Amino acid sequence: MEFAEVLRRRRMVRNYDPDRPVPPDVVRRLLDHAVRAPSAGFAQGWGFLVLEEPADRERFWAATTPDGGGRERWLAGMRRAPLIVVPHANRSAYLERYAEPDKGWTDRAQERWPVPYWYVDTGFAALLMLLTAVDEGLGACFFGIPAQRTQAYREAFGVPAEFDPVGALTVGYRAPDHRSPSLRRGRRPVDEVVRRGRWS
């Protein structure tokens, strides 16, 4: 598929065919492409939890949704996804990398960072998985794990303290779904969001 077509087709998919698993070679490509994302200092401070088994996916939904349920309409279709990938960011990998001789920030101070690039880079990796899913003829959705459910998620899957989940992706073959009502807002035109030369 042409890249422009991948971009045109990319949208958050919220309903999946539960009877069509994502083929192992496609799962591998999703992950291979994720680790091609740019990262500050080539720190590559990310980690991905892949959930394919029904029991693992059910544990994910029980841990991350309010009251362990998540059976509201928008989540009902999401729960049918045969694959969940949770990208995590590891801040310490970046602080350690920039304390190496070629970078020279020996104090490992987080305050030196203008923005937390460990989250930015992990977001890049998630976007590459979203685009790869489209290219493979699949649907995917990126969504957040509620802050009040993060500890339950960590405990359910033994996630080390240095890894922060930045969200999760459901992936699978698309089924008819309800488009987000937020789309009624329309896409902002390029001329409305771009400034050239100076802001004003």
Side-chain angles (χ1 to χ4, degrees):
M1 188 180 304
E2 291 291 325
F3 184 66
E5 183 69 5
V6 169
L7 292 181
R8 191 185 66 75
R9 291 186 182 199
R10 197 229 41 88
R11 73 175 186 86
M12 298 302 184
V13 172
R14 295 175 174 84
N15 192 24
Y16 303 91
D17 182 344
D19 300 320
R20 293 183 69 191
V22 178
D25 59 319
V26 174
V27 175
R28 183 69 198 183
R29 274 194 294 282
L30 285 167
L31 299 168
D32 284 346
H33 292 179
V35 300
R36 300 289 302 177
S39 67
F42 210 40
Q44 305 169 78
W46 43 54
F48 304 93
L49 179 64
V50 178
L51 306 173
E52 297 175 275
E53 295 299 321
D56 293 333
R57 297 193 315 268
E58 184 56 39
R59 188 163 16 117
F60 173 84
W61 294 116
T64 61
T65 53
D67 302 317
R71 299 191 188 279
E72 297 83 2
R73 186 179 85 169
W74 83 271
L75 272 177
M78 297 275 278
R79 292 174 63 98
R80 295 186 187 105
L83 173 65
I84 301 170
V85 180
V86 185
H88 300 75
N90 182 348
R91 173 180 49 209
S92 62
Y94 287 75
L95 301 182
E96 290 297 322
R97 171 67 185 102
Y98 275 76
E100 292 177 15
D102 64 321
K103 296 297 182 184
W105 292 355
T106 57
D107 60 6
R108 296 170 174 77
Q110 184 175 331
E111 295 75 27
R112 291 182 181 274
W113 293 80
V115 296
Y117 280 102
W118 38 94
Y119 297 134
V120 173
D121 295 348
T122 305
F124 287 154
L127 178 58
L128 290 181
M129 286 190 280
L130 290 172
L131 295 176
T132 300
V134 174
D135 194 48
E136 295 285 347
L138 300 168
C141 184
F142 179 85
F143 59 100
I145 296 173
Q148 67 273 24
R149 305 299 302 174
T150 302
Q151 189 56 38
Y153 161 77
R154 286 182 175 284
E155 291 170 4
F157 293 98
V159 177
E162 66 269 22
F163 285 93
D164 293 326
V166 300
L169 291 94
T170 49
V171 184
Y173 290 94
R174 293 166 66 161
D177 68 346
H178 299 279
R179 295 181 71 108
S180 169
S182 298
L183 293 174
R184 290 189 207 113
R185 296 167 53 92
R187 193 174 306 280
R188 293 176 69 188
V190 171
D191 290 343
E192 188 178 303
V193 297
V194 172
R195 306 292 182 271
R196 299 183 188 274
R198 63 182 278 126
W199 198 267
S200 60

PDB file of all heavy atoms in Angstrom, residues 135-155:
ATOM      1  N   ASP A 135      -1.224  -0.907   7.068  1.00  0.00           N
ATOM      2  CA  ASP A 135      -0.527  -1.459   5.911  1.00  0.00           C
ATOM      3  C   ASP A 135      -0.752  -2.964   5.777  1.00  0.00           C
ATOM      4  O   ASP A 135      -0.732  -3.508   4.678  1.00  0.00           O
ATOM      5  CB  ASP A 135       0.965  -1.151   6.013  1.00  0.00           C
ATOM      6  CG  ASP A 135       1.700  -1.397   4.714  1.00  0.00           C
ATOM      7  OD1 ASP A 135       1.216  -0.943   3.652  1.00  0.00           O
ATOM      8  OD2 ASP A 135       2.763  -2.046   4.753  1.00  0.00           O
ATOM      9  N   GLU A 136      -0.989  -3.633   6.898  1.00  0.00           N
ATOM     10  CA  GLU A 136      -1.226  -5.080   6.898  1.00  0.00           C
ATOM     11  C   GLU A 136      -2.701  -5.437   6.742  1.00  0.00           C
ATOM     12  O   GLU A 136      -3.081  -6.597   6.821  1.00  0.00           O
ATOM     13  CB  GLU A 136      -0.692  -5.692   8.205  1.00  0.00           C
ATOM     14  CG  GLU A 136       0.807  -5.593   8.376  1.00  0.00           C
ATOM     15  CD  GLU A 136       1.567  -6.574   7.504  1.00  0.00           C
ATOM     16  OE1 GLU A 136       0.945  -7.500   6.943  1.00  0.00           O
ATOM     17  OE2 GLU A 136       2.798  -6.429   7.389  1.00  0.00           O
ATOM     18  N   GLY A 137      -3.551  -4.419   6.539  1.00  0.00           N
ATOM     19  CA  GLY A 137      -4.971  -4.685   6.370  1.00  0.00           C
ATOM     20  C   GLY A 137      -5.715  -4.885   7.681  1.00  0.00           C
ATOM     21  O   GLY A 137      -6.810  -5.457   7.711  1.00  0.00           O
ATOM     22  N   LEU A 138      -5.129  -4.401   8.775  1.00  0.00           N
ATOM     23  CA  LEU A 138      -5.728  -4.543  10.096  1.00  0.00           C
ATOM     24  C   LEU A 138      -6.232  -3.204  10.603  1.00  0.00           C
ATOM     25  O   LEU A 138      -5.930  -2.157  10.046  1.00  0.00           O
ATOM     26  CB  LEU A 138      -4.695  -5.083  11.084  1.00  0.00           C
ATOM     27  CG  LEU A 138      -4.083  -6.446  10.775  1.00  0.00           C
ATOM     28  CD1 LEU A 138      -2.887  -6.703  11.663  1.00  0.00           C
ATOM     29  CD2 LEU A 138      -5.125  -7.534  10.958  1.00  0.00           C
ATOM     30  N   GLY A 139      -6.951  -3.253  11.701  1.00  0.00           N
ATOM     31  CA  GLY A 139      -7.341  -2.058  12.416  1.00  0.00           C
ATOM     32  C   GLY A 139      -6.618  -2.029  13.747  1.00  0.00           C
ATOM     33  O   GLY A 139      -6.172  -3.062  14.251  1.00  0.00           O
ATOM     34  N   ALA A 140      -6.508  -0.839  14.327  1.00  0.00           N
ATOM     35  CA  ALA A 140      -5.863  -0.695  15.632  1.00  0.00           C
ATOM     36  C   ALA A 140      -6.391   0.555  16.313  1.00  0.00           C
ATOM     37  O   ALA A 140      -6.907   1.462  15.660  1.00  0.00           O
ATOM     38  CB  ALA A 140      -4.345  -0.615  15.475  1.00  0.00           C
ATOM     39  N   CYS A 141      -6.254   0.571  17.631  1.00  0.00           N
ATOM     40  CA  CYS A 141      -6.668   1.730  18.411  1.00  0.00           C
ATOM     41  C   CYS A 141      -5.675   1.938  19.545  1.00  0.00           C
ATOM     42  O   CYS A 141      -5.326   0.982  20.246  1.00  0.00           O
ATOM     43  CB  CYS A 141      -8.068   1.515  18.978  1.00  0.00           C
ATOM     44  SG  CYS A 141      -8.734   2.950  19.864  1.00  0.00           S
ATOM     45  N   PHE A 142      -5.216   3.171  19.707  1.00  0.00           N
ATOM     46  CA  PHE A 142      -4.358   3.536  20.833  1.00  0.00           C
ATOM     47  C   PHE A 142      -5.233   4.221  21.863  1.00  0.00           C
ATOM     48  O   PHE A 142      -6.020   5.104  21.534  1.00  0.00           O
ATOM     49  CB  PHE A 142      -3.243   4.473  20.377  1.00  0.00           C
ATOM     50  CG  PHE A 142      -2.336   4.900  21.493  1.00  0.00           C
ATOM     51  CD1 PHE A 142      -1.267   4.107  21.871  1.00  0.00           C
ATOM     52  CD2 PHE A 142      -2.563   6.085  22.181  1.00  0.00           C
ATOM     53  CE1 PHE A 142      -0.420   4.487  22.915  1.00  0.00           C
ATOM     54  CE2 PHE A 142      -1.733   6.477  23.219  1.00  0.00           C
ATOM     55  CZ  PHE A 142      -0.664   5.673  23.590  1.00  0.00           C
ATOM     56  N   PHE A 143      -5.087   3.838  23.127  1.00  0.00           N
ATOM     57  CA  PHE A 143      -5.904   4.422  24.188  1.00  0.00           C
ATOM     58  C   PHE A 143      -5.100   4.405  25.484  1.00  0.00           C
ATOM     59  O   PHE A 143      -4.126   3.657  25.623  1.00  0.00           O
ATOM     60  CB  PHE A 143      -7.222   3.658  24.359  1.00  0.00           C
ATOM     61  CG  PHE A 143      -7.033   2.207  24.680  1.00  0.00           C
ATOM     62  CD1 PHE A 143      -7.136   1.741  25.980  1.00  0.00           C
ATOM     63  CD2 PHE A 143      -6.746   1.295  23.669  1.00  0.00           C
ATOM     64  CE1 PHE A 143      -6.943   0.401  26.274  1.00  0.00           C
ATOM     65  CE2 PHE A 143      -6.554  -0.055  23.959  1.00  0.00           C
ATOM     66  CZ  PHE A 143      -6.648  -0.500  25.261  1.00  0.00           C
ATOM     67  N   GLY A 144      -5.518   5.216  26.424  1.00  0.00           N
ATOM     68  CA  GLY A 144      -4.808   5.317  27.681  1.00  0.00           C
ATOM     69  C   GLY A 144      -5.308   4.337  28.729  1.00  0.00           C
ATOM     70  O   GLY A 144      -6.471   3.933  28.719  1.00  0.00           O
ATOM     71  N   ILE A 145      -4.417   3.967  29.623  1.00  0.00           N
ATOM     72  CA  ILE A 145      -4.799   3.205  30.814  1.00  0.00           C
ATOM     73  C   ILE A 145      -5.110   4.243  31.892  1.00  0.00           C
ATOM     74  O   ILE A 145      -4.267   5.099  32.189  1.00  0.00           O
ATOM     75  CB  ILE A 145      -3.654   2.269  31.257  1.00  0.00           C
ATOM     76  CG1 ILE A 145      -3.394   1.219  30.181  1.00  0.00           C
ATOM     77  CG2 ILE A 145      -3.979   1.618  32.603  1.00  0.00           C
ATOM     78  CD1 ILE A 145      -2.175   0.342  30.444  1.00  0.00           C
ATOM     79  N   PRO A 146      -6.308   4.215  32.488  1.00  0.00           N
ATOM     80  CA  PRO A 146      -6.637   5.235  33.493  1.00  0.00           C
ATOM     81  C   PRO A 146      -5.618   5.253  34.625  1.00  0.00           C
ATOM     82  O   PRO A 146      -5.156   4.201  35.087  1.00  0.00           O
ATOM     83  CB  PRO A 146      -8.019   4.788  34.007  1.00  0.00           C
ATOM     84  CG  PRO A 146      -8.587   3.953  32.896  1.00  0.00           C
ATOM     85  CD  PRO A 146      -7.408   3.268  32.255  1.00  0.00           C
ATOM     86  N   ALA A 147      -5.267   6.459  35.077  1.00  0.00           N
ATOM     87  CA  ALA A 147      -4.245   6.611  36.114  1.00  0.00           C
ATOM     88  C   ALA A 147      -4.573   5.790  37.358  1.00  0.00           C
ATOM     89  O   ALA A 147      -3.687   5.176  37.961  1.00  0.00           O
ATOM     90  CB  ALA A 147      -4.094   8.090  36.474  1.00  0.00           C
ATOM     91  N   GLN A 148      -5.845   5.744  37.720  1.00  0.00           N
ATOM     92  CA  GLN A 148      -6.222   5.020  38.929  1.00  0.00           C
ATOM     93  C   GLN A 148      -6.169   3.501  38.749  1.00  0.00           C
ATOM     94  O   GLN A 148      -6.306   2.760  39.713  1.00  0.00           O
ATOM     95  CB  GLN A 148      -7.619   5.450  39.422  1.00  0.00           C
ATOM     96  CG  GLN A 148      -8.769   5.057  38.507  1.00  0.00           C
ATOM     97  CD  GLN A 148      -9.066   6.062  37.417  1.00  0.00           C
ATOM     98  OE1 GLN A 148      -8.204   6.846  37.031  1.00  0.00           O
ATOM     99  NE2 GLN A 148     -10.298   6.054  36.908  1.00  0.00           N
ATOM    100  N   ARG A 149      -5.929   3.035  37.516  1.00  0.00           N
ATOM    101  CA  ARG A 149      -5.845   1.592  37.254  1.00  0.00           C
ATOM    102  C   ARG A 149      -4.422   1.144  36.928  1.00  0.00           C
ATOM    103  O   ARG A 149      -4.172  -0.043  36.722  1.00  0.00           O
ATOM    104  CB  ARG A 149      -6.769   1.202  36.087  1.00  0.00           C
ATOM    105  CG  ARG A 149      -8.226   1.597  36.236  1.00  0.00           C
ATOM    106  CD  ARG A 149      -8.905   0.972  37.425  1.00  0.00           C
ATOM    107  NE  ARG A 149      -8.843  -0.479  37.379  1.00  0.00           N
ATOM    108  CZ  ARG A 149      -9.264  -1.286  38.341  1.00  0.00           C
ATOM    109  NH1 ARG A 149      -9.775  -0.779  39.435  1.00  0.00           N
ATOM    110  NH2 ARG A 149      -9.162  -2.587  38.223  1.00  0.00           N
ATOM    111  N   THR A 150      -3.481   2.090  36.895  1.00  0.00           N
ATOM    112  CA  THR A 150      -2.112   1.741  36.495  1.00  0.00           C
ATOM    113  C   THR A 150      -1.471   0.758  37.464  1.00  0.00           C
ATOM    114  O   THR A 150      -0.804  -0.193  37.044  1.00  0.00           O
ATOM    115  CB  THR A 150      -1.247   3.014  36.363  1.00  0.00           C
ATOM    116  OG1 THR A 150      -1.850   3.877  35.397  1.00  0.00           O
ATOM    117  CG2 THR A 150       0.161   2.669  35.904  1.00  0.00           C
ATOM    118  N   GLN A 151      -1.657   0.961  38.763  1.00  0.00           N
ATOM    119  CA  GLN A 151      -1.037   0.055  39.727  1.00  0.00           C
ATOM    120  C   GLN A 151      -1.618  -1.351  39.608  1.00  0.00           C
ATOM    121  O   GLN A 151      -0.881  -2.344  39.679  1.00  0.00           O
ATOM    122  CB  GLN A 151      -1.198   0.584  41.157  1.00  0.00           C
ATOM    123  CG  GLN A 151      -0.410  -0.190  42.192  1.00  0.00           C
ATOM    124  CD  GLN A 151       1.087  -0.270  41.882  1.00  0.00           C
ATOM    125  OE1 GLN A 151       1.690   0.682  41.390  1.00  0.00           O
ATOM    126  NE2 GLN A 151       1.697  -1.419  42.149  1.00  0.00           N
ATOM    127  N   ALA A 152      -2.920  -1.457  39.398  1.00  0.00           N
ATOM    128  CA  ALA A 152      -3.538  -2.777  39.214  1.00  0.00           C
ATOM    129  C   ALA A 152      -2.969  -3.455  37.968  1.00  0.00           C
ATOM    130  O   ALA A 152      -2.700  -4.667  37.971  1.00  0.00           O
ATOM    131  CB  ALA A 152      -5.059  -2.644  39.109  1.00  0.00           C
ATOM    132  N   TYR A 153      -2.780  -2.675  36.899  1.00  0.00           N
ATOM    133  CA  TYR A 153      -2.168  -3.216  35.683  1.00  0.00           C
ATOM    134  C   TYR A 153      -0.761  -3.729  35.979  1.00  0.00           C
ATOM    135  O   TYR A 153      -0.388  -4.842  35.604  1.00  0.00           O
ATOM    136  CB  TYR A 153      -2.146  -2.152  34.579  1.00  0.00           C
ATOM    137  CG  TYR A 153      -1.151  -2.464  33.495  1.00  0.00           C
ATOM    138  CD1 TYR A 153      -1.429  -3.434  32.532  1.00  0.00           C
ATOM    139  CD2 TYR A 153       0.093  -1.832  33.460  1.00  0.00           C
ATOM    140  CE1 TYR A 153      -0.496  -3.752  31.559  1.00  0.00           C
ATOM    141  CE2 TYR A 153       1.019  -2.140  32.492  1.00  0.00           C
ATOM    142  CZ  TYR A 153       0.721  -3.098  31.538  1.00  0.00           C
ATOM    143  OH  TYR A 153       1.658  -3.428  30.585  1.00  0.00           O
ATOM    144  N   ARG A 154       0.047  -2.894  36.658  1.00  0.00           N
ATOM    145  CA  ARG A 154       1.427  -3.292  36.979  1.00  0.00           C
ATOM    146  C   ARG A 154       1.455  -4.601  37.757  1.00  0.00           C
ATOM    147  O   ARG A 154       2.247  -5.495  37.468  1.00  0.00           O
ATOM    148  CB  ARG A 154       2.110  -2.209  37.818  1.00  0.00           C
ATOM    149  CG  ARG A 154       2.498  -0.966  37.080  1.00  0.00           C
ATOM    150  CD  ARG A 154       3.215  -0.003  38.048  1.00  0.00           C
ATOM    151  NE  ARG A 154       3.711   1.154  37.367  1.00  0.00           N
ATOM    152  CZ  ARG A 154       4.792   1.167  36.602  1.00  0.00           C
ATOM    153  NH1 ARG A 154       5.486   0.064  36.418  1.00  0.00           N
ATOM    154  NH2 ARG A 154       5.184   2.269  35.998  1.00  0.00           N
ATOM    155  N   GLU A 155       0.601  -4.701  38.758  1.00  0.00           N
ATOM    156  CA  GLU A 155       0.574  -5.904  39.588  1.00  0.00           C
ATOM    157  C   GLU A 155       0.118  -7.123  38.798  1.00  0.00           C
ATOM    158  O   GLU A 155       0.654  -8.221  38.975  1.00  0.00           O
ATOM    159  CB  GLU A 155      -0.323  -5.666  40.800  1.00  0.00           C
ATOM    160  CG  GLU A 155       0.262  -4.659  41.773  1.00  0.00           C
ATOM    161  CD  GLU A 155      -0.725  -4.225  42.846  1.00  0.00           C
ATOM    162  OE1 GLU A 155      -1.863  -4.758  42.886  1.00  0.00           O
ATOM    163  OE2 GLU A 155      -0.348  -3.345  43.653  1.00  0.00           O
TER     164      GLU A 155
END
